[in-house]
Amino acid sequence: QLLARLTTEHERLTAETRQALEQALAAHDPEKLRQSMKMCQDLELKEDLEQAIFRVRNIVNEEIAKARGEHDREARLTIVLKLEQILAVLRDNGDKELRSFHNELQDLKGALRVFCRVRPLNRRETEKHDTIAVDIVDPFTVSVAKSESDKQVFAYDAIFGPSSTQSEVFSECRSLVQSVVDGYNVTVFTYGQTGAGKTWTLYGSPTEPGLSPRLCEEIFSVVRRDSEKLEFEVRASMIELYLAELRDLLSRAKEPPKLEFKGYRQADGTVGQRLEGMTEIPVACSEDLAQVVATGLGKRKVTATKMNADSSRSHFVLIINMDVTDKETGRKRAGKISIVDLAGSERLSKSEVTGEAQKEAIEI
């Protein structure tokens, strides 16, 4: 009788799971797909799960086609967000075709994306009763008033207002780590005047970490996630471009070797450029990487200017190289992310610096 009851209960759960799975597939609902496919795993319905993965791939292809045909940018990004959630379901279920899907998703977002972040007023500006000169028109557009009757309008891929958080900025860049794992080269950089918030956005503080520490955490989160299938080797370098010279910020030599770009022939026959002579430090966890970043930041050139008491006087680059080996096939690939904090872009007359600092400003 016990066996009969267990069999009946299993049949009931199986029927309910299959019905829930059909409803989730019909609705293209990521959360319901995740729940029903988890039930398939728990009930060991392997054929149902394999068929579901196949159908979810078809859903992804349909949604990608829909996104490509959507001309309204906001509507297209809504589809892209849904696609990211569906891909997460496939990843949870061990799908091996994710690499091509992920990179199609990045193409939909744009190979080159430009974001605008408007910082809040600082204490000095508030005390002077200054106002923010930028108006956010919509999620992709800002305007700046040259006069009461003349407004300049600028379009971006995303706008982050004065109340935006470090986490919100990171959410737009998080998927770049997967591109690095897939063997692509990625660059993130901040540009603007001194005091605009470039270094804050990239590095932040211990309580509000910026893009760089969050990307470092995400790298090792992905390493842990995929460690059963893939073998990773991660290395970090830090350099700065100061007074037209490249400096290795991780070198322990009294006189570090000169860094030079040299040409090399790539696998496809084209000629690429490679920076030779820089120190590369193997890192095994996010804490190792954070220590490397702290070392490099401690050696960066800063100077007081009229616009900022701690103005960055160099272009500062964190380079993270990743070698990935598929444990099953032995295939290797290499990806890289470069995180670039550019020096302030203001004119010399605005920073009001003299002497050596003036020379720095001219080189910037």
Side-chain angles (χ1 to χ4, degrees):
Q1 288 183 343
L2 178 60
L3 180 60
R5 285 201 303 271
L6 289 173
T7 302
T8 301
E9 178 66 9
H10 186 272
E11 289 174 350
R12 183 185 68 79
L13 288 172
T14 298
E16 288 179 358
T17 298
R18 285 172 173 162
Q19 182 181 12
L21 184 57
E22 282 299 325
Q23 290 173 348
L25 287 164
H28 295 193
D29 187 312
E31 188 52 40
K32 289 182 178 178
L33 280 169
R34 176 178 280 106
Q35 293 170 2
S36 56
M37 291 171 79
K38 177 67 167 58
M39 284 296 295
C40 285
Q41 288 180 341
D42 293 343
L43 294 169
E44 297 186 352
L45 303 176
K46 293 182 179 179
E47 289 186 10
D48 294 81
L49 186 59
E50 288 174 4
Q51 184 64 23
I53 289 173
F54 176 78
R55 291 174 65 182
V56 172
R57 286 181 194 146
N58 288 337
I59 289 172
V60 171
N61 283 321
E62 289 173 20
E63 294 289 336
I64 286 174
K66 188 192 298 183
R68 290 194 188 285
E70 179 57 67
H71 298 295
D72 181 80
R73 180 161 50 173
E74 196 160 0
R76 185 171 67 251
L77 289 179
T78 300
I79 299 171
V80 167
L81 178 61
K82 185 177 180 180
L83 273 166
E84 286 182 327
Q85 295 170 340
I86 295 174
L87 289 186
V89 174
L90 286 175
R91 183 174 291 110
D92 290 344
N93 286 276
D95 184 46
K96 294 184 177 181
E97 294 189 14
L98 282 173
R99 189 179 177 195
S100 60
F101 283 147
H102 172 80
N103 291 311
E104 284 194 75
L105 203 60
Q106 298 312 303
D107 287 343
L108 285 171
K109 290 181 177 181
L112 176 63
R113 282 175 275 162
V114 183
F115 303 148
C116 172
R117 191 176 193 186
V118 183
R119 71 161 173 80
L121 297 175
N122 59 34
R123 185 186 300 173
R124 180 174 62 85
E125 291 162 340
T126 302
E127 290 172 352
K128 290 174 64 179
H129 304 292
D130 287 343
T131 58
I132 293 175
V134 178
D135 288 324
I136 299 175
V137 179
D138 60 41
F140 310 103
T141 314
V142 297
S143 67
V144 180
K146 294 180 70 177
S147 64
E148 288 187 10
S149 59
D150 184 11
K151 283 192 174 183
Q152 288 185 304
V153 177
F154 304 90
Y156 297 91
D157 293 289
I159 309 291
F160 300 98
S163 61
S164 63
T165 64
Q166 301 281 58
S167 178
E168 288 170 345
V169 177
F170 172 64
S171 68
E172 285 288 344
C173 304
R174 184 176 196 161
S175 60
L176 297 175
V177 171
Q178 186 60 49
S179 293
V180 177
V181 174
D182 289 343
Y184 291 88
N185 293 340
V186 173
T187 301
V188 178
F189 70 86
T190 51
Y191 171 82
Q193 290 189 143
T194 293
K198 300 182 298 300
T199 303
W200 169 258
T201 295
L202 276 190
Y203 292 97
S205 68
T207 55
E208 294 184 72
L211 272 178
S212 177
R214 289 172 188 267
L215 287 167
C216 292
E217 280 284 346
E218 181 66 11
I219 285 170
F220 286 99
S221 174
V222 171
V223 167
R224 289 191 297 272
R225 185 196 72 200
D226 293 347
S227 59
E228 291 185 8
K229 301 177 295 180
L230 303 171
E231 188 175 295
F232 295 89
E233 182 185 328
V234 184
R235 305 177 308 281
S237 302
M238 297 195 82
I239 58 172
E240 73 172 344
L241 178 59
Y242 175 69
L243 294 179
E245 286 189 10
L246 287 166
R247 300 174 66 235
D248 185 345
L249 297 178
L250 300 180
S251 176
R252 295 181 178 179
K254 287 185 178 180
E255 293 187 17
K258 187 177 180 181
L259 302 180
E260 292 183 317
F261 281 102
K262 291 188 177 180
Y264 72 101
R265 191 161 297 280
Q266 302 180 108
D268 61 1
T270 59
V271 176
Q273 291 288 317
R274 181 162 50 204
L275 184 60
E276 294 192 352
M278 66 180 177
T279 303
E280 284 192 303
I281 296 181
V283 286
C285 60
S286 56
E287 290 78 12
D288 288 352
L289 199 44
Q291 184 57 52
V292 169
V293 173
T295 300
L297 281 171
K299 295 182 179 179
R300 188 180 188 184
K301 294 286 185 178
V302 295
T303 298
T305 71
K306 184 180 179 182
M307 300 182 70
N308 192 343
D310 237 5
S311 175
S312 303
R313 310 313 292 161
S314 65
H315 304 306
F316 179 74
V317 189
L318 166 63
I319 303 168
I320 303 170
N321 282 287
M322 182 182 288
D323 292 334
V324 183
T325 304
D326 189 311
K327 291 182 178 180
E328 185 179 337
T329 64
R331 290 180 179 172
K332 299 178 183 290
R333 57 181 182 265
K336 177 177 70 177
I337 184 166
S338 301
I339 301 171
V340 187
D341 184 11
L342 295 174
S345 62
E346 69 278 352
R347 290 190 178 96
L348 183 62
S349 58
K350 199 167 186 179
S351 60
E352 296 187 7
V353 290
T354 58
E356 185 68 16
Q358 185 178 75
K359 185 179 178 182
E360 291 171 344
I362 292 168
E363 290 294 344
I364 290 168

mmCIF file of all heavy atoms in Angstrom, residues 310-335:
data_model
loop_
_atom_site.group_PDB
_atom_site.id
_atom_site.type_symbol
_atom_site.label_atom_id
_atom_site.label_comp_id
_atom_site.label_asym_id
_atom_site.label_seq_id
_atom_site.Cartn_x
_atom_site.Cartn_y
_atom_site.Cartn_z
ATOM 1 N N ASP A 310 42.611 66.200 -4.780
ATOM 2 C CA ASP A 310 43.317 64.931 -5.038
ATOM 3 C C ASP A 310 43.139 64.536 -6.499
ATOM 4 O O ASP A 310 42.658 63.454 -6.805
ATOM 5 C CB ASP A 310 42.737 63.834 -4.129
ATOM 6 C CG ASP A 310 43.830 63.206 -3.272
ATOM 7 O OD1 ASP A 310 44.964 63.696 -3.331
ATOM 8 O OD2 ASP A 310 43.524 62.249 -2.544
ATOM 9 N N SER A 311 43.529 65.409 -7.389
ATOM 10 C CA SER A 311 43.269 65.189 -8.808
ATOM 11 C C SER A 311 44.206 64.137 -9.400
ATOM 12 O O SER A 311 45.421 64.189 -9.209
ATOM 13 C CB SER A 311 43.452 66.506 -9.583
ATOM 14 O OG SER A 311 43.315 66.298 -10.966
ATOM 15 N N SER A 312 43.633 63.176 -10.125
ATOM 16 C CA SER A 312 44.442 62.151 -10.799
ATOM 17 C C SER A 312 45.215 62.801 -11.933
ATOM 18 O O SER A 312 44.637 63.462 -12.790
ATOM 19 C CB SER A 312 43.533 61.053 -11.352
ATOM 20 O OG SER A 312 42.758 60.492 -10.323
ATOM 21 N N ARG A 313 46.523 62.586 -11.965
ATOM 22 C CA ARG A 313 47.367 63.231 -12.970
ATOM 23 C C ARG A 313 47.868 62.260 -14.021
ATOM 24 O O ARG A 313 48.817 62.539 -14.753
ATOM 25 C CB ARG A 313 48.566 63.927 -12.301
ATOM 26 C CG ARG A 313 48.204 64.818 -11.149
ATOM 27 C CD ARG A 313 47.043 65.729 -11.452
ATOM 28 N NE ARG A 313 47.339 66.740 -12.455
ATOM 29 C CZ ARG A 313 46.407 67.396 -13.122
ATOM 30 N NH1 ARG A 313 45.140 67.112 -12.944
ATOM 31 N NH2 ARG A 313 46.745 68.301 -14.013
ATOM 32 N N SER A 314 47.272 61.088 -14.074
ATOM 33 C CA SER A 314 47.698 60.092 -15.056
ATOM 34 C C SER A 314 46.491 59.288 -15.510
ATOM 35 O O SER A 314 45.444 59.284 -14.864
ATOM 36 C CB SER A 314 48.734 59.144 -14.440
ATOM 37 O OG SER A 314 48.120 58.392 -13.396
ATOM 38 N N HIS A 315 46.647 58.620 -16.641
ATOM 39 C CA HIS A 315 45.668 57.636 -17.089
ATOM 40 C C HIS A 315 46.056 56.301 -16.439
ATOM 41 O O HIS A 315 47.203 55.854 -16.552
ATOM 42 C CB HIS A 315 45.679 57.525 -18.614
ATOM 43 C CG HIS A 315 45.444 58.841 -19.301
ATOM 44 N ND1 HIS A 315 44.370 59.643 -19.038
ATOM 45 C CD2 HIS A 315 46.173 59.494 -20.255
ATOM 46 C CE1 HIS A 315 44.416 60.730 -19.790
ATOM 47 N NE2 HIS A 315 45.514 60.672 -20.537
ATOM 48 N N PHE A 316 45.116 55.678 -15.780
ATOM 49 C CA PHE A 316 45.388 54.552 -14.893
ATOM 50 C C PHE A 316 44.641 53.319 -15.397
ATOM 51 O O PHE A 316 43.429 53.374 -15.628
ATOM 52 C CB PHE A 316 44.905 54.964 -13.495
ATOM 53 C CG PHE A 316 45.065 53.931 -12.425
ATOM 54 C CD1 PHE A 316 46.308 53.650 -11.895
ATOM 55 C CD2 PHE A 316 43.963 53.275 -11.915
ATOM 56 C CE1 PHE A 316 46.452 52.721 -10.870
ATOM 57 C CE2 PHE A 316 44.092 52.352 -10.897
ATOM 58 C CZ PHE A 316 45.337 52.078 -10.375
ATOM 59 N N VAL A 317 45.358 52.200 -15.599
ATOM 60 C CA VAL A 317 44.759 51.022 -16.239
ATOM 61 C C VAL A 317 44.980 49.767 -15.393
ATOM 62 O O VAL A 317 46.119 49.426 -15.069
ATOM 63 C CB VAL A 317 45.358 50.784 -17.652
ATOM 64 C CG1 VAL A 317 44.570 49.686 -18.375
ATOM 65 C CG2 VAL A 317 45.365 52.064 -18.476
ATOM 66 N N LEU A 318 43.881 49.102 -15.057
ATOM 67 C CA LEU A 318 43.930 47.771 -14.447
ATOM 68 C C LEU A 318 43.614 46.759 -15.548
ATOM 69 O O LEU A 318 42.580 46.867 -16.214
ATOM 70 C CB LEU A 318 42.897 47.651 -13.320
ATOM 71 C CG LEU A 318 42.579 46.238 -12.807
ATOM 72 C CD1 LEU A 318 43.815 45.585 -12.194
ATOM 73 C CD2 LEU A 318 41.431 46.282 -11.799
ATOM 74 N N ILE A 319 44.512 45.812 -15.765
ATOM 75 C CA ILE A 319 44.334 44.797 -16.815
ATOM 76 C C ILE A 319 44.220 43.431 -16.157
ATOM 77 O O ILE A 319 45.101 43.018 -15.402
ATOM 78 C CB ILE A 319 45.520 44.799 -17.803
ATOM 79 C CG1 ILE A 319 45.695 46.186 -18.432
ATOM 80 C CG2 ILE A 319 45.317 43.747 -18.900
ATOM 81 C CD1 ILE A 319 46.999 46.359 -19.179
ATOM 82 N N ILE A 320 43.137 42.735 -16.439
ATOM 83 C CA ILE A 320 42.928 41.386 -15.896
ATOM 84 C C ILE A 320 42.862 40.418 -17.070
ATOM 85 O O ILE A 320 41.955 40.498 -17.905
ATOM 86 C CB ILE A 320 41.635 41.309 -15.067
ATOM 87 C CG1 ILE A 320 41.666 42.338 -13.938
ATOM 88 C CG2 ILE A 320 41.456 39.896 -14.499
ATOM 89 C CD1 ILE A 320 40.340 42.502 -13.216
ATOM 90 N N ASN A 321 43.856 39.541 -17.158
ATOM 91 C CA ASN A 321 43.903 38.512 -18.197
ATOM 92 C C ASN A 321 43.371 37.198 -17.642
ATOM 93 O O ASN A 321 43.669 36.828 -16.502
ATOM 94 C CB ASN A 321 45.338 38.304 -18.692
ATOM 95 C CG ASN A 321 45.773 39.395 -19.654
ATOM 96 O OD1 ASN A 321 45.327 39.443 -20.793
ATOM 97 N ND2 ASN A 321 46.632 40.285 -19.183
ATOM 98 N N MET A 322 42.612 36.493 -18.454
ATOM 99 C CA MET A 322 42.031 35.227 -18.029
ATOM 100 C C MET A 322 42.260 34.158 -19.096
ATOM 101 O O MET A 322 41.870 34.329 -20.250
ATOM 102 C CB MET A 322 40.527 35.387 -17.774
ATOM 103 C CG MET A 322 39.837 34.125 -17.276
ATOM 104 S SD MET A 322 38.055 34.363 -17.053
ATOM 105 C CE MET A 322 38.030 35.412 -15.600
ATOM 106 N N ASP A 323 42.943 33.081 -18.716
ATOM 107 C CA ASP A 323 43.093 31.914 -19.586
ATOM 108 C C ASP A 323 42.114 30.847 -19.119
ATOM 109 O O ASP A 323 42.077 30.506 -17.931
ATOM 110 C CB ASP A 323 44.522 31.373 -19.522
ATOM 111 C CG ASP A 323 45.533 32.331 -20.132
ATOM 112 O OD1 ASP A 323 45.126 33.121 -20.998
ATOM 113 O OD2 ASP A 323 46.712 32.298 -19.739
ATOM 114 N N VAL A 324 41.315 30.330 -20.052
ATOM 115 C CA VAL A 324 40.258 29.369 -19.716
ATOM 116 C C VAL A 324 40.481 28.079 -20.491
ATOM 117 O O VAL A 324 40.718 28.107 -21.697
ATOM 118 C CB VAL A 324 38.864 29.950 -20.064
ATOM 119 C CG1 VAL A 324 37.757 28.986 -19.638
ATOM 120 C CG2 VAL A 324 38.665 31.304 -19.411
ATOM 121 N N THR A 325 40.421 26.942 -19.792
ATOM 122 C CA THR A 325 40.567 25.625 -20.419
ATOM 123 C C THR A 325 39.324 24.793 -20.134
ATOM 124 O O THR A 325 38.907 24.660 -18.979
ATOM 125 C CB THR A 325 41.797 24.877 -19.877
ATOM 126 O OG1 THR A 325 42.960 25.694 -20.064
ATOM 127 C CG2 THR A 325 41.995 23.552 -20.606
ATOM 128 N N ASP A 326 38.718 24.277 -21.199
ATOM 129 C CA ASP A 326 37.574 23.378 -21.056
ATOM 130 C C ASP A 326 38.091 22.016 -20.598
ATOM 131 O O ASP A 326 38.873 21.372 -21.295
ATOM 132 C CB ASP A 326 36.834 23.251 -22.394
ATOM 133 C CG ASP A 326 35.515 22.506 -22.278
ATOM 134 O OD1 ASP A 326 35.502 21.412 -21.683
ATOM 135 O OD2 ASP A 326 34.500 23.005 -22.781
ATOM 136 N N LYS A 327 37.694 21.564 -19.422
ATOM 137 C CA LYS A 327 38.206 20.319 -18.859
ATOM 138 C C LYS A 327 37.803 19.099 -19.694
ATOM 139 O O LYS A 327 38.530 18.100 -19.738
ATOM 140 C CB LYS A 327 37.700 20.140 -17.426
ATOM 141 C CG LYS A 327 38.300 21.133 -16.440
ATOM 142 C CD LYS A 327 37.798 20.882 -15.026
ATOM 143 C CE LYS A 327 38.424 21.838 -14.027
ATOM 144 N NZ LYS A 327 37.935 21.608 -12.650
ATOM 145 N N GLU A 328 36.661 19.176 -20.366
ATOM 146 C CA GLU A 328 36.179 18.036 -21.140
ATOM 147 C C GLU A 328 36.893 17.897 -22.471
ATOM 148 O O GLU A 328 37.300 16.810 -22.879
ATOM 149 C CB GLU A 328 34.667 18.166 -21.373
ATOM 150 C CG GLU A 328 34.026 16.977 -22.062
ATOM 151 C CD GLU A 328 32.537 17.155 -22.249
ATOM 152 O OE1 GLU A 328 31.920 17.938 -21.507
ATOM 153 O OE2 GLU A 328 31.969 16.495 -23.156
ATOM 154 N N THR A 329 37.092 19.028 -23.173
ATOM 155 C CA THR A 329 37.662 18.979 -24.520
ATOM 156 C C THR A 329 39.136 19.368 -24.561
ATOM 157 O O THR A 329 39.829 19.082 -25.538
ATOM 158 C CB THR A 329 36.892 19.917 -25.459
ATOM 159 O OG1 THR A 329 37.067 21.280 -25.006
ATOM 160 C CG2 THR A 329 35.401 19.582 -25.469
ATOM 161 N N GLY A 330 39.624 20.060 -23.515
ATOM 162 C CA GLY A 330 40.999 20.543 -23.512
ATOM 163 C C GLY A 330 41.191 21.824 -24.297
ATOM 164 O O GLY A 330 42.304 22.351 -24.374
ATOM 165 N N ARG A 331 40.128 22.361 -24.900
ATOM 166 C CA ARG A 331 40.234 23.595 -25.677
ATOM 167 C C ARG A 331 40.528 24.781 -24.768
ATOM 168 O O ARG A 331 40.017 24.878 -23.667
ATOM 169 C CB ARG A 331 38.953 23.845 -26.459
ATOM 170 C CG ARG A 331 38.744 22.863 -27.604
ATOM 171 C CD ARG A 331 37.461 23.161 -28.350
ATOM 172 N NE ARG A 331 37.250 22.242 -29.454
ATOM 173 C CZ ARG A 331 36.134 22.182 -30.172
ATOM 174 N NH1 ARG A 331 35.122 22.994 -29.894
ATOM 175 N NH2 ARG A 331 36.022 21.306 -31.170
ATOM 176 N N LYS A 332 41.359 25.691 -25.287
ATOM 177 C CA LYS A 332 41.766 26.863 -24.508
ATOM 178 C C LYS A 332 41.301 28.143 -25.193
ATOM 179 O O LYS A 332 41.192 28.206 -26.420
ATOM 180 C CB LYS A 332 43.287 26.903 -24.356
ATOM 181 C CG LYS A 332 43.880 25.704 -23.623
ATOM 182 C CD LYS A 332 45.407 25.811 -23.572
ATOM 183 C CE LYS A 332 46.036 24.600 -22.921
ATOM 184 N NZ LYS A 332 45.762 24.544 -21.462
ATOM 185 N N ARG A 333 41.049 29.136 -24.384
ATOM 186 C CA ARG A 333 40.743 30.473 -24.910
ATOM 187 C C ARG A 333 41.242 31.493 -23.901
ATOM 188 O O ARG A 333 41.461 31.181 -22.722
ATOM 189 C CB ARG A 333 39.244 30.635 -25.185
ATOM 190 C CG ARG A 333 38.331 30.393 -23.994
ATOM 191 C CD ARG A 333 36.871 30.562 -24.396
ATOM 192 N NE ARG A 333 35.943 30.385 -23.285
ATOM 193 C CZ ARG A 333 35.331 29.255 -22.995
ATOM 194 N NH1 ARG A 333 35.554 28.172 -23.725
ATOM 195 N NH2 ARG A 333 34.494 29.187 -21.966
ATOM 196 N N ALA A 334 41.417 32.713 -24.358
ATOM 197 C CA ALA A 334 41.930 33.774 -23.487
ATOM 198 C C ALA A 334 41.094 35.031 -23.668
ATOM 199 O O ALA A 334 40.743 35.409 -24.788
ATOM 200 C CB ALA A 334 43.393 34.065 -23.812
ATOM 201 N N GLY A 335 40.756 35.664 -22.550
ATOM 202 C CA GLY A 335 40.010 36.919 -22.580
ATOM 203 C C GLY A 335 40.691 37.940 -21.693
ATOM 204 O O GLY A 335 41.577 37.611 -20.890
#
